[in-house]
C-alpha cells in the first residue's frame, strides 16, 4: 500500500423502523420529479404529494415536539443525563403543550390556504397506527419509545429546530396577522435562557402571495 493510500473503511446502517408514508411538495415544476416520485414510491407505501411547499414545511413534525421537550428537560440535557426523550421526558401535560403549537400551525396553514394534518394523525399515518394520543403512540412505538434525548445543548433539536422550526412560525404569524402566542412564548424563553436570538429565515409577503 502506498503512503498516500487510505485503508478501506466499512460502514453500516441500522434501521430501527421505516415509515409507511411521506409528504412531499415541489417549489418548481420539473421533469425530474417523475424519477423522484418513482424512487419514493419504491420505499414508501403512501407518497402524499402537495401542491404547496407550505404544506410540508408547516407539517414538519420534529420542531413542535423537540422544542418544548428540550426546554422541559433542559437540566437533563445540560447535565448529560441519559433518558428516553419521548417516554421518560413526555407526559400528558407535555402533549397538551405540543397540541397548542400544533393548533397555531394549523391556523397558519388555514391562512395560507394550505393543507394540514394534525400532528397525532400525521404520526399515526407514518406507521399505519391508530393511537388517540401522542402519549400512547410514543409509549407503544419502539422507534419513539427508545429515542435517547440530547445530552448537549449543541444538539440539533435545539440549534436547528428553534431557529428553523419555531422562529419561522412566529415570523409567519406576524406577517399574516395570525396569533402564535405559544410559539412566541417558547421562542422568548429560549432566547432569554441562552442569550441567543435564534434568528430564523425572513419572509416576504409578495413571495408568499405568489406561492399561494
Amino acid at each position: 500500500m502506498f503512503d498516500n493510500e487510505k485503508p478501506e473503511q466499512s460502514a453500516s446502517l441500522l434501521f430501527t423502523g421505516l415509515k409507511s408514508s411521506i409528504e412531499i411538495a415541489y417549489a418548481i415544476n420539473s421533469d425530474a420529479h417523475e424519477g423522484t416520485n418513482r424512487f419514493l414510491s419504491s420505499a414508501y407505501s403512501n407518497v402524499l404529494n402537495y401542491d404547496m411547499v407550505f404544506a410540508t414545511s408547516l407539517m414538519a413534525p420534529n420542531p413542535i415536539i423537540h422544542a418544548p421537550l428540550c426546554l422541559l428537560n433542559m437540566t437533563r440535557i445540560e447535565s448529560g443525563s441519559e433518558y428516553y426523550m419521548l417516554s421518560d421526558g413526555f407526559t400528558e401535560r407535555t402533549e397538551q403543550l405540543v397540541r397548542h403549537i400544533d393548533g397555531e400551525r394549523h391556523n397558519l396553514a388555514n391562512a395560507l390556504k394550505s393543507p394540514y394534518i394534525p400532528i397525532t394523525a400525521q404520526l399515526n399515518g407514518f406507521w399505519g397506527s391508530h393511537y388517540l394520543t401522542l402519549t400512547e403512540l410514543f409509549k407503544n412505538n419502539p422507534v419513539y419509545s427508545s429515542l435517547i434525548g440530547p445530552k448537549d445543548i449543541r444538539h440539533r433539536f435545539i440549534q436547528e429546530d428553534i431557529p428553523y422550526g419555531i422562529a419561522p412560525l412566529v415570523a409567519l404569524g406576524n406577517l399574516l396577522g395570525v396569533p402564535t402566542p405559544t410559539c412566541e412564548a417558547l421562542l422568548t424563553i429560549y432566547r432569554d435562557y441562552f442569550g441567543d436570538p435564534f434568528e430564523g429565515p425572513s419572509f416576504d409577503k409578495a413571495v408568499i402571495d405568489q406561492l399561494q
Side-chain angles (χ1 to χ4, degrees):
M1 184 175 71
F2 296 103
D3 289 341
N4 62 348
E5 289 184 343
K6 295 181 180 179
E8 292 185 4
Q9 296 181 344
S10 61
S12 62
L13 295 173
L14 172 64
F15 291 90
T16 57
L18 182 63
K19 296 176 181 178
S20 60
S21 69
I22 187 172
E23 299 142 354
I24 61 172
Y26 298 106
I28 57 175
N29 294 322
S30 170
D31 294 337
H33 296 168
E34 183 178 346
T36 302
N37 285 336
R38 283 200 305 269
F39 170 75
L40 291 174
S41 295
S42 69
Y44 297 92
S45 59
N46 188 21
V47 179
L48 302 174
N49 282 273
Y50 290 106
D51 293 332
M52 296 182 64
V53 292
F54 287 116
T56 53
S57 298
L58 284 174
M59 286 191 291
N62 288 349
I64 72 168
I65 296 171
H66 297 161
L69 268 180
C70 285
L71 183 61
L72 295 173
N73 289 278
M74 193 60 70
T75 55
R76 282 173 164 167
I77 295 173
E78 291 190 284
S79 64
S81 301
E82 184 164 311
Y83 68 101
Y84 294 107
M85 185 173 186
L86 298 177
S87 51
D88 297 338
F90 197 86
T91 68
E92 292 180 1
R93 288 190 176 90
T94 311
E95 177 163 351
Q96 182 172 302
L97 181 57
V98 171
R99 287 185 182 277
H100 278 294
I101 304 172
D102 189 36
E104 292 177 5
R105 291 202 311 183
H106 202 162
N107 291 338
L108 288 170
N110 288 340
L112 292 164
K113 298 180 176 60
S114 174
Y116 192 83
I117 302 175
I119 186 71
T120 306
Q122 181 191 29
L123 295 190
N124 272 308
F126 286 163
W127 308 101
S129 56
H130 303 281
Y131 296 106
L132 296 179
T133 67
L134 290 176
T135 306
E136 293 177 309
L137 175 58
F138 292 158
K139 179 181 178 181
N140 291 284
N141 185 306
V143 174
Y144 293 135
S145 63
S146 61
L147 177 66
I148 301 295
K151 297 181 181 181
D152 191 294
I153 61 172
R154 293 170 294 181
H155 197 280
R156 62 185 178 86
F157 287 0
I158 297 172
Q159 301 301 329
E160 292 180 13
D161 286 344
I162 307 306
Y164 301 107
I166 300 301
L169 300 179
V170 175
L172 267 179
N174 290 335
L175 188 64
L176 299 172
V178 176
T180 56
T182 305
C183 289
E184 287 184 23
L186 190 60
L187 182 59
T188 297
I189 293 173
Y190 265 102
R191 286 172 171 173
D192 290 348
Y193 192 95
F194 286 100
D196 187 321
F198 284 108
E199 293 180 353
S202 59
F203 298 93
D204 185 285
K205 187 66 166 61
V207 174
I208 290 178
D209 290 341
Q210 186 178 18
L211 291 174
Q212 287 185 269

